[in-house]
Amino acid sequence: MSKDITFNFADSSVAEAYDQVLVPLLFEPWTKKLINENRSWSSRYVLDLACGTGAVTKHLLNQVTCTGKIFALDLNEEMLAINKAKFEEMGCEDTIEFIHASAETIPIEDNTLDIVICQQGLQFFPDKLKAAREIYRVLHKGGKLIISTWLPVSECDIISTLCETLETIQEEELSQLMRIPFDHMPKEELKQTFVEAGFNTVKIEKQSMDLCLQGGMDEAIAFIYATPIGPNLRALSKEKQETLERIFKENVKHTNEINFGKMVTHVLKAQK
């Protein structure tokens, strides 16, 4: 892959598109499911790792109550700033601490946290084992870890169509870039990473959910431009963008006007 073809999370347009499009359309439903299925948040000290623009942070705020605390950590300053701005006027200073840092060097003391939750962030960590060991370090004995990671593109319909469309228009490098958060780590390797980090119970469950876009095809097009490769797509010529959109519309799976197929994830749960 060319060195010029990379994710650019420092691009403010990526953070804004992520927050305005992907969060409500994709991450909000998954966040609610993740939070509701793991109800043990009250009075807990929780790290929202790779918190992004705050999908998980927002829902945790309603769960930890005033006696708990949320540490919202992200390496991307643009996304962290959007997250922080949402809570500035809510008087949450004692409940939420925002941290600009890497998952590989978490600035939290040993044995401090009750729970670490990471929704779709692990894929982007350069050294996943080092991050896993850091998570283990900051959890107290008995502390819990909850991580979600997408399954391969072949199991996530709208992303599969996007990648296939890019390959059809001879943009193979962009297709490969889009695959990174999905075709990243098989289940057994994912599990072994956290076993090696020291966790004594590691379980992985496969979960799926329909991607429902109330705005239909127009929202599906907005969705693909809001992915991390959005700036790369917008940099294509107008003619190529038109071809991309036409082929994508012809091939994207949708069982009705709003259902655009499945998104599938692994949910890893572990305990220190």
Side-chain angles (χ1 to χ4, degrees):
M1 186 179 295
S2 169
K3 291 183 180 179
D4 295 329
I5 306 295
T6 59
F7 289 130
N8 184 10
F9 287 108
D11 185 333
S12 60
S13 69
V14 173
E16 291 167 3
Y18 180 97
D19 188 58
Q20 295 170 12
V21 181
L22 290 190
V23 167
L25 297 184
L26 177 62
F27 292 108
E28 279 278 352
W30 280 104
T31 298
K32 291 177 182 177
K33 181 178 177 64
L34 206 59
I35 297 295
N36 291 336
E37 288 183 351
N38 298 279
R39 286 188 173 275
S40 57
W41 309 104
S42 182
S43 303
R44 306 294 187 181
Y45 272 47
V46 183
L47 172 60
D48 180 7
L49 186 61
C51 63
T53 61
V56 172
T57 312
K58 180 182 72 173
H59 287 279
L60 284 176
L61 184 62
N62 297 324
Q63 298 286 334
V64 301
T65 70
C66 60
T67 55
K69 186 167 184 177
I70 302 164
F71 299 87
L73 182 150
D74 205 289
L75 183 60
N76 182 268
E77 291 184 272
E78 298 286 349
M79 289 194 175
L80 195 64
I82 291 174
N83 193 348
K84 188 175 182 179
K86 295 176 181 178
F87 301 97
E88 283 182 341
E89 298 180 0
M90 296 174 61
C92 302
E93 295 84 1
D94 294 334
T95 307
I96 305 177
E97 180 178 336
F98 292 94
I99 303 172
H100 175 232
S102 165
E104 297 168 15
T105 52
I106 300 172
I108 295 176
E109 294 182 2
D110 297 1
N111 308 308
T112 298
L113 303 174
D114 298 296
I115 306 171
V116 174
I117 182 170
C118 181
Q119 178 175 248
Q120 306 301 342
L122 178 72
Q123 302 97 304
F124 299 102
F125 299 166
D127 190 332
K128 296 172 180 61
L129 178 57
K130 188 174 181 180
R133 286 172 171 158
E134 275 291 272
I135 294 168
Y136 184 88
R137 178 185 64 78
V138 298
L139 282 167
H140 64 61
K141 186 173 177 58
K144 297 178 181 180
L145 167 66
I146 304 164
I147 284 182
S148 63
T149 64
W150 298 123
L151 263 70
V153 160
S154 59
E155 299 205 42
C156 297
D157 294 320
I158 194 169
I159 304 299
S160 178
T161 302
L162 172 57
C163 290
E164 290 168 1
T165 302
L166 287 168
E167 290 158 12
T168 299
I169 64 172
Q170 286 77 54
E171 291 292 341
E172 289 84 0
E173 286 191 323
L174 285 184
S175 175
Q176 290 303 311
L177 185 62
M178 188 68 246
R179 291 176 184 274
I180 289 174
F182 297 85
D183 299 348
H184 58 95
M185 185 183 288
K187 178 180 177 181
E188 287 308 312
E189 184 181 343
L190 175 63
K191 180 178 180 178
Q192 184 57 35
T193 297
F194 289 91
V195 170
E196 190 173 340
F199 288 91
N200 55 35
T201 59
V202 182
K203 297 179 180 180
I204 299 177
E205 177 186 355
K206 181 178 176 180
Q207 296 185 354
S208 68
M209 189 185 299
D210 290 337
L211 177 65
C212 293
L213 306 178
Q214 299 300 322
M217 192 62 74
D218 288 343
E219 210 159 70
I221 294 297
F223 182 100
I224 66 173
Y225 280 99
T227 64
I229 64 167
N232 307 87
L233 298 181
R234 288 188 287 272
L236 297 174
S237 68
K238 181 178 180 181
E239 180 181 3
K240 207 155 199 178
Q241 286 185 53
E242 290 174 350
T243 303
L244 168 74
E245 294 173 20
R246 175 179 57 78
I247 296 173
F248 176 83
K249 288 177 180 179
E250 290 173 355
N251 293 286
V252 67
K253 180 178 180 180
H254 54 111
T255 55
N256 54 44
E257 291 183 358
I258 67 168
N259 188 320
F260 285 80
K262 299 285 185 184
M263 292 293 291
V264 189
T265 188
H266 278 138
V267 177
L268 178 148
K269 299 178 186 180
Q271 189 168 14
K272 180 173 177 179

